[in-house]
Amino acid sequence: MTDIKACLFDLDGVIVDTAKYHFIAWRELAAELGFEFTEEHNERLKGVSRMTSLEILLEVGGVKLSEEKKVQLADQKNERYVSYIVKMTPNEILPGVVVFLESLKQAGIKTAIGSASKNAPIILERLELTPYFDAVIDGNKVSNAKPDPEVFLKGAEALVISPVECVVFEDAEAGIEAAINGGMRCVGIGRPEILGKANLVIPGFEHFGLSELMKLEK
Ligand code: G6P
Ligand code: MG
């Protein structure tokens, strides 16, 4: 019997690459404000909340604005971003994800999304992945951003599984830290240089299945 009873997934960068759409929408906003926003700058926004992302963008451009104006610009960026993500299809699900989710279902391992994005439900809908998750904890349900463990602890709570029986999948360093802070094991999706604190780092789900998951056994 395995002691792993639930898998908690970050969404952006783990299930689907939405970073490119965030980038286009932020870059357009920066252009309107009169400065260039590069892909390298965009790296700093991964895993970061919408308002914090805007703060970083304004810092890049050396722009100072009132709180009211910031909220207005964040809304404007989100409208653009949503106009891109509503066009997404299941083809954009990252390789190996569906096969892995299927195998978890068959093994009776629970699943949840733990994402900072307020758009998580619509993204899951567009990707036709909603039925694969027993719980969705998104940016609308948490008040503390990763590396605070709130999003994953709420996920475990919703599944009624104890944190020590959960494994988190994350592409951002702050997300790995959130898992560790919540007392969970974690798998980094991406580069070991960045995600070195994870129990295991993999490039994606293509060669990752139940037998690899079980190697994370305590
Ligand atoms: C995820 C992404 C971030 C994004 C955040 C908020 O964590 O990695 O880049 O800023 O969600 O997304 P939202 O869809 O609520 O603007
Ligand atoms: Mg992510």
Side-chain angles (χ1 to χ4, degrees), residues 10 12 22 45-50 53 77-78 81 115-119:
D10 172 47
D12 297 296
H22 280 296
L45 308 189
K46 289 188 178 171
V48 172
S49 76
R50 193 181 305 165
S53 297
K77 179 267 172 182
N78 191 55
Y81 174 66
S115 166
S117 173
K118 294 184 172 169
N119 293 301

Side-chain angles (χ1 to χ4, degrees), residues 124-194:
L124 291 173
E125 207 58 50
R126 295 303 306 158
L127 300 178
E128 297 174 16
L129 285 178
T130 311
Y132 285 94
F133 295 98
D134 300 303
V136 176
I137 310 298
D138 63 22
N140 300 296
K141 295 184 180 164
V142 292
S143 28
N144 301 299
K146 301 167 188 178
D148 189 285
E150 183 185 5
V151 70
F152 294 130
L153 291 177
K154 283 199 167 149
E157 196 184 311
L159 300 175
V160 201
I161 304 281
S162 123
V164 292
E165 295 170 322
C166 294
V167 174
V168 166
F169 293 86
E170 254 294 349
D171 72 315
E173 194 182 6
I176 300 287
E177 285 169 6
I180 296 169
N181 292 336
M184 300 176 184
R185 280 161 278 179
C186 54
V187 176
I189 311 292
R191 304 214 313 267
E193 311 89 87
I194 300 170

